[in-house]
């Protein structure tokens, strides 16, 4: 299936669209200003509209600012990104994390910091927004944060465990909270 996508869909796209796919493949949701920030250009609206017209992106030109890649296409694009140098992947996630921080979206900001394995950044984001994440029901992200964090970081910053423990108590996972 991925081979079909490569030969019959991606290869037929204009080079600027292929580059746009490559620069934004790591995003769970797409928005013009976010994509412009990552691409360092102002052509994202045209790219997103073209991809929408071709059925490669879900969303609407008129009603919603957010769009997304179809799951199969996104899985293909993410597989392609794995072939890329790690530092480029980290750079992309950090840039996305910066944008989400500026737009006060701590959950997605934290997600990209974790994907970049930028643990200092993740601790900083988490420390400043853990309460909001707990209240907003970000249990899965909080759990991912704690499980992803290297032991030396939790030793260095033990306070980061308190929101996790609180989330466990709220979820009635008392045995885990006691540990």
């Amino acid at each position: 299936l991925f081979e079909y996508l490569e030969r019959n869909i991606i290869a037929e796209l204009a080079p600027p669209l292929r580059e746009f796919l490559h620069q934004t493949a790591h995003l769970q949701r797409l928005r013009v200003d976010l994509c412009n920030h990552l691409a360092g250009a102002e052509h994202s609206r045209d790219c997103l509209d073209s991809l929408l017209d071709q059925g490669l992106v879900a969303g609407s030109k008129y009603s919603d600012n957010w769009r997304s890649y179809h799951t199969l296409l996104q899985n293909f694009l993410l597989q392609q990104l794995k072939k890329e140098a790690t530092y480029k992947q980290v750079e992309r996630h950090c840039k996305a994390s910066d944008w989400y921080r500026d737009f006060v979206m701590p959950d997605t900001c934290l997600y990209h910091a974790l994907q970049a394995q930028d643990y200092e950044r993740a601790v900083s984001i988490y420390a400043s927004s853990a309460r909001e994440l707990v209240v907003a029901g970000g249990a899965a992200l909080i759990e991912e944060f704690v499980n992803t964090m290297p032991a030396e970081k939790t030793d260095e910053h033990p306070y980061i465990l308190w929101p996790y423990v609180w989330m466990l108590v709220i979820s009635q996972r008392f045995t885990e909270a006691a540990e």
Side-chain angles (χ1 to χ4, degrees), residues 21-33:
L21 289 173
H22 186 75
Q23 292 171 333
T24 60
H26 65 294
L27 298 173
Q28 296 170 318
R29 298 185 312 156
L30 306 165
R31 190 172 137 153
V32 171
D33 49 351

Side-chain angles (χ1 to χ4, degrees), residues 114-172:
L114 290 172
Q115 293 301 307
Q117 296 180 356
D118 187 341
Y119 299 119
E120 284 303 318
R121 176 191 295 251
V123 166
S124 173
I125 296 162
Y126 182 78
S128 66
S129 58
R131 182 174 183 268
E132 291 84 7
L133 292 170
V134 170
V135 171
L141 186 59
I142 291 170
E143 196 157 2
E144 179 185 351
F145 170 78
V146 170
N147 291 333
T148 304
M149 199 58 49
E152 61 269 9
K153 289 295 177 196
T154 54
D155 292 344
E156 224 176 282
H157 308 283
Y159 58 87
I160 65 176
L161 295 175
W162 283 108
Y164 175 65
V165 172
W166 184 243
M167 186 259 332
L168 291 174
V169 169
I170 291 170
S171 304
Q172 297 183 3

Side-chain angles (χ1 to χ4, degrees), residues 7-179:
R7 285 188 195 164
N8 298 301
I9 307 292
I10 306 301
E12 298 297 318
L13 294 173
L17 284 178
R18 286 197 305 265
E19 181 61 23
F20 179 83
L21 289 173
H22 186 75
Q23 292 171 333
T24 60
H26 65 294
L27 298 173
Q28 296 170 318
R29 298 185 312 156
L30 306 165
R31 190 172 137 153
V32 171
D33 49 351
L34 169 60
C35 294
N36 281 340
H37 175 75
L38 293 174
E42 297 294 321
H43 68 284
S44 296
R45 180 173 308 283
D46 294 337
C47 290
L48 284 170
D49 286 348
S50 178
L51 293 169
L52 184 66
D53 291 343
Q54 294 178 54
L56 298 175
V57 170
S60 169
K61 288 183 187 180
Y62 309 107
S63 64
D64 187 13
N65 289 331
W66 292 100
R67 299 179 189 159
S68 61
Y69 290 118
H70 290 289
T71 305
L72 181 62
L73 177 60
Q74 180 142 42
N75 289 339
F76 167 77
L77 294 171
L78 290 172
Q79 184 182 48
Q80 297 300 307
L81 283 183
K82 288 180 183 176
K83 299 174 184 175
E84 180 178 72
T86 303
Y87 80 92
K88 287 185 178 183
Q89 294 176 41
V90 166
E91 186 177 275
R92 272 197 192 90
H93 282 292
C94 286
K95 213 169 176 182
S97 181
D98 289 341
W99 187 90
Y100 283 108
R101 181 200 60 226
D102 293 345
F103 283 84
V104 193
M105 301 174 83
D107 54 340
T108 315
C109 179
L110 178 60
Y111 166 81
H112 284 286
L114 290 172
Q115 293 301 307
Q117 296 180 356
D118 187 341
Y119 299 119
E120 284 303 318
R121 176 191 295 251
V123 166
S124 173
I125 296 162
Y126 182 78
S128 66
S129 58
R131 182 174 183 268
E132 291 84 7
L133 292 170
V134 170
V135 171
L141 186 59
I142 291 170
E143 196 157 2
E144 179 185 351
F145 170 78
V146 170
N147 291 333
T148 304
M149 199 58 49
E152 61 269 9
K153 289 295 177 196
T154 54
D155 292 344
E156 224 176 282
H157 308 283
Y159 58 87
I160 65 176
L161 295 175
W162 283 108
Y164 175 65
V165 172
W166 184 243
M167 186 259 332
L168 291 174
V169 169
I170 291 170
S171 304
Q172 297 183 3
R173 293 164 57 189
F174 302 116
T175 306
E176 289 175 70
E179 294 172 4

